[in-house]
Amino acid sequence: MSRLRKTNIVLRKAIEELKKQASINNASIWSSIAEELSKPTRRRRAVNISRINRYSKPGDVVVVPGKVLGAGNIDHPVTVAAFGFSRTALEKIVKSGGRAIFILDLVKENPTGSNIKIIG
């Protein structure tokens, strides 16, 4: 039986780049995020804004290896990096003064992966 591959080319490229940056920068956080993104779609994480609000402080950098959903509220500015965002989640993050970025953009900003929280 042949092994199934991810059909989403953006996801495949993101996983490859995360693994590459993990080995170049000796940052195991990127390899663990790549492993989470490699899981089947049903097992991938989906995190609500309320959970990010609960487990983060103002100015934190949070990574969600999956999708951020818009249920709940956020009352402080946080930088959230994820593979996908719902429209309402994106609006709420920006409204609170935070930033919503793609995971690979965070890798470019912080290649060593220091001071990052994984929520999921």
Side-chain angles (χ1 to χ4, degrees):
M1 179 177 250
S2 66
R3 189 171 150 203
L4 294 175
R5 290 184 54 171
K6 301 285 181 201
T7 56
N8 185 341
I9 189 72
V10 176
L11 179 60
R12 264 196 284 169
K13 295 291 183 184
I15 292 169
E16 289 173 12
E17 185 66 24
L18 285 167
K19 288 179 181 178
K20 178 179 162 187
Q21 291 298 324
S23 65
I24 290 172
N25 298 310
N26 197 22
S28 61
I29 189 169
W30 302 130
S31 61
S32 62
I33 292 172
E35 185 179 319
E36 287 290 326
L37 287 174
S38 298
K39 290 182 178 179
T41 306
R42 289 182 182 187
R43 297 191 40 94
R44 208 168 302 140
R45 298 182 189 185
V47 177
N48 285 314
I49 289 288
S50 60
R51 180 176 287 192
I52 294 172
N53 188 48
R54 194 174 324 129
Y55 294 111
S56 67
K57 297 178 287 195
D60 278 352
V61 178
V62 174
V63 174
V64 177
K67 190 169 186 173
V68 179
L69 304 175
N73 291 313
I74 188 162
D75 57 7
H76 54 271
V78 178
T79 300
V80 181
F83 184 71
F85 295 91
S86 71
R87 183 180 44 81
T88 55
L90 195 58
E91 290 170 358
K92 289 179 181 182
I93 292 168
V94 172
K95 185 179 176 184
S96 72
R99 294 183 342 165
I101 59 176
F102 187 62
I103 292 176
L104 292 181
D105 295 333
L106 181 62
V107 173
K108 291 174 186 169
E109 290 177 12
N110 188 355
T112 60
S114 60
N115 299 324
I116 294 176
K117 292 182 180 182
I118 299 176
I119 294 183

